[in-house]
Amino acid sequence: MFELIDSHSHFDVAEFDADRDAALARARAAGVKRQVVPAIARDGFEKLRDLCAANDGLHPAYGLHPLFLAQHTPEHLDELEQWIEREHPVAVGECGLDFYVEGLDVDEQRRYFERQLTMAREHDLPVILHARRAFDDVAAAIRRVGNLRGVVHSFSGSQEQANQFWKLGFHIGIGGPITYERAHRLREVVREMPLEFLLLETDSPDQPLCGHQGHRNEPAMLVEVCRTIAELRGADPAEIAGATTKNCERLFALS
Ligand SMILES: [Zn+2]
């Protein structure tokens, strides 16, 4: 058996409240010994911190997610900065831009996003990015702020867009969507990509794998993501596991 790190899991959310210990035990039994758990909004920071403090292998990141724009206030940005200074998270995030979901003010999204990028740069932390229908805008913001590193989680863009992120030194996170045979473009990107930029993720409880539609996703499923990628690349799953674990440890400075 090989060891894996789930680089993006919302293991703190209410969907896991009823059976979190069991889900954690299943993940560990499957070899998924560590998870990076990014925040989505200010009111979840305490729960996230306490959960990660109480369980080995759970690493928090703090940030304000664009889909939860209605919950954020400018004061939350100041509080976020205090949390980063005090708690020393492994990253800033989840933050980014979402131009797919309607009704999210674009300018407001940009303000929250760019301030979080600046915080990441000033605190020398990686960023965990959410980008939907906004890859070019996200890349432009990374360039504008400069001196950043991180991951574009659940990447779903084109080959050219992937290239653009690698050139900026960014990783791409790949999860459940890769297990769908119809994901031709994504599969092509992952088949050919440099392994040094690949991270594995589940995005639990979202993005269930093929064959599990309609069910809650959980970190133990990361093994299937790894196997699918290994198959696509004609590689040994242990090789993919080893390389992506190293990438994740390096990016988030996990010991
Ligand atoms: Zn997420």
Side-chain angles (χ1 to χ4, degrees):
M1 196 179 77
F2 42 83
E3 280 197 21
L4 294 165
I5 306 175
D6 191 343
S7 67
H8 196 110
S9 151
H10 296 286
F11 203 57
D12 59 322
V13 299
E15 283 89 333
F16 288 107
D17 283 354
D19 67 340
R20 189 172 285 106
D21 288 345
L24 190 57
R26 280 194 294 274
R28 286 174 175 158
V32 185
K33 304 276 167 108
R34 288 176 283 177
Q35 303 175 31
V36 175
V37 189
I40 53 181
R42 167 63 191 93
D43 72 356
F45 288 2
E46 280 85 359
K47 183 182 180 188
L48 173 58
R49 177 193 59 197
D50 295 348
L51 172 69
C52 293
N55 294 281
D56 279 344
L58 300 187
H59 302 280
Y62 298 108
L64 304 172
H65 192 303
L67 285 179
F68 299 84
L69 196 62
Q71 295 181 32
H72 308 330
T73 69
E75 291 74 44
H76 292 169
L77 283 166
D78 298 331
E79 288 186 58
L80 171 60
E81 185 134 43
Q82 292 158 15
W83 274 75
I84 290 167
E85 278 164 14
R86 194 180 62 233
E87 302 291 335
H88 305 290
V90 297
V92 174
E94 177 168 357
C95 60
L97 299 173
D98 196 310
F99 298 162
Y100 173 74
V101 173
E102 283 173 36
L104 298 170
D105 186 85
V106 168
D107 292 333
E108 213 181 335
Q109 286 195 56
R110 288 188 198 283
R111 278 196 294 277
Y112 281 99
F113 180 41
E114 298 218 5
R115 172 87 186 272
Q116 293 182 79
L117 289 182
T118 305
M119 278 184 218
R121 189 190 60 199
E122 283 170 1
H123 294 277
D124 193 23
L125 285 169
V127 277
I128 297 172
L129 301 179
H130 173 103
R132 216 158 30 149
R133 294 263 172 93
F135 292 106
D136 297 334
D137 288 74
V138 164
I142 291 170
R143 265 189 227 102
R144 209 157 42 238
V145 173
N147 275 320
L148 288 166
R149 62 187 187 283
V151 55
V152 181
H153 116 82
S154 190
F155 181 79
S156 61
S158 67
Q159 183 67 59
E160 292 70 32
Q161 285 161 333
N163 268 322
Q164 160 170 243
F165 285 113
W166 302 331
K167 274 196 200 128
L168 290 165
F170 272 69
H171 298 70
I172 64 172
I174 299 294
I178 196 71
T179 62
Y180 292 80
E181 260 177 59
R182 64 168 188 268
H184 300 295
R185 185 171 78 167
L186 184 62
R187 286 184 156 207
E188 202 49 45
V189 170
V190 170
R191 204 176 271 129
E192 306 292 339
M193 72 175 284
L195 214 45
E196 63 190 288
F197 294 119
L198 177 64
L199 296 186
L200 307 184
E201 64 167 68
T202 62
D203 200 20
S204 299
D206 301 324
Q207 306 211 50
L209 280 67
C210 183
H212 300 269
Q213 293 94 322
H215 295 279
R216 182 189 70 178
N217 196 9
E218 64 173 62
M221 298 305 291
L222 194 65
V223 180
E224 294 310 313
V225 173
C226 180
R227 287 191 196 287
T228 303
I229 292 173
E231 201 175 305
L232 285 170
R233 294 176 65 98
D236 194 312
E239 182 201 334
I240 303 298
T244 55
T245 294
K246 276 209 195 78
N247 293 345
C248 203
E249 288 176 337
R250 195 177 56 235
L251 179 63
F252 296 114
L254 308 177
S255 51

